C-alpha cells in the first residue's frame, strides 16, 4: 500500500509526510503519543500553526473490552469530535536505526483501532523518534521536575509530534504555492 493513502482502515506500515494532495485544509489537528501505560494528546489551533497539550489518557487494559471500543479509543475519539479535528497524527516510534520495534507495532495497531472510531477523519503516522526523550529534557531544562510527571511528559511528546507535523506541513504547502505561482507566471 502507498504510504500516502490513509483513507482506508488499513494504515500503512511506514509513516506519512504532509502532502498537498491529501491535506484536509484549515482545521485543528490532534496528535497522540501512544505509550504502553498512557497516551499523550495534543491539539493545534485551527490555522495549524501551534501545538498545545490537551490531556493524558490512560491506556485501557487489553482484554477489558465490552461491546464497544476500549475506553482509551473512546476518549480519543471524543476529543477528535470535540475539537472538530480534520486529521489525527499518531506518533510512530522507530529505533535510532529507523527500524520498527515493538512500540511501533503497538502504535500502528492502536491507529488501526482508532480509525474505525474517528472515520472519516484521516489518521496519519508520523516518525516520532526521541520525542519523549527530548520532551523530558526540555521540561527538565525549563525547571519542571519530571519525577512523578510522566503525564506531563506524555503530553509534551504529543506536542512535539504535532509541532513537527505542523512545521513540515507549512513548509510543504508553502513550497507547493511557490511552484504553482512560478508556473502561473510562465503561463502569462
Amino acid at each position: 500500500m502507498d504510504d500516502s493513502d490513509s483513507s482506508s482502515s488499513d494504515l500503512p506500515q511506514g509513516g506519512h509526510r504532509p502532502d498537498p494532495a491529501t491535506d484536509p485544509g484549515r482545521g485543528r489537528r490532534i496528535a497522540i503519543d501512544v505509550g504502553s501505560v498512557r497516551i499523550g494528546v495534543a491539539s493545534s489551533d485551527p490555522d495549524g500553526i501551534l501545538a498545545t497539550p490537551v490531556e493524558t489518557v490512560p491506556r485501557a487494559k487489553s482484554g477489558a473490552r465490552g461491546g464497544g471500543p476500549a475506553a482509551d479509543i473512546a476518549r480519543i475519539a471524543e476529543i477528535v469530535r470535540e475539537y472538530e479535528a480534520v486529521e489525527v497524527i499518531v506518533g510512530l516510534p522507530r529505533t535510532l536505526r529507523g527500524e520498527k520495534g515493538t512500540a511501533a507495532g503497538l502504535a500502528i495497531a492502536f491507529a488501526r483501532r482508532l480509525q474505525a472510531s474517528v472515520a472519516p477523519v484521516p489518521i496519519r503516522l508520523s516518525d516520532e523518534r526521541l520525542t519523549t526523550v527530548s520532551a523530558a529534557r526540555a521540561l527538565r531544562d525549563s525547571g519542571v521536575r519530571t519525577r512523578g510527571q510522566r503525564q506531563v511528559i506524555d503530553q509534551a511528546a504529543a506536542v512535539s509530534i504535532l509541532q513537527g507535523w505542523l512545521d513540515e506541513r507549512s513548509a510543504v504547502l508553502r513550497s507547493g504555492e511557490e511552484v504553482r505561482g512560478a508556473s502561473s507566471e510562465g503561463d502569462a
Side-chain angles (χ1 to χ4, degrees), residues 135-149 152-153:
R137 182 175 297 130
L139 287 169
R140 187 179 59 246
D141 291 350
S142 67
V144 174
R145 289 189 13 240
T146 56
R147 175 169 290 191
Q149 298 290 327
V152 175
I153 293 170

Side-chain angles (χ1 to χ4, degrees), residues 91-176:
L92 182 63
R94 295 182 180 268
T95 66
L96 290 176
R97 293 181 0 192
E99 299 165 350
K100 289 187 304 263
T102 305
L106 291 172
I108 291 167
F110 186 88
R112 284 189 176 131
R113 289 193 313 274
L114 181 61
Q115 179 69 67
S117 294
V118 301
V121 176
I123 303 273
R124 317 278 190 213
L125 298 171
S126 180
D127 188 351
E128 62 132 321
R129 245 173 292 196
L130 298 177
T131 54
T132 301
V133 172
S134 61
R137 182 175 297 130
L139 287 169
R140 187 179 59 246
D141 291 350
S142 67
V144 174
R145 289 189 13 240
T146 56
R147 175 169 290 191
Q149 298 290 327
R150 292 295 308 166
Q151 293 184 350
V152 175
I153 293 170
D154 294 332
Q155 289 177 34
V159 166
S160 179
I161 291 164
L162 185 53
Q163 193 62 57
W165 180 269
L166 296 173
D167 293 347
E168 185 175 359
R169 176 182 177 266
S170 176
V172 165
L173 294 179
R174 214 175 20 254
S175 69

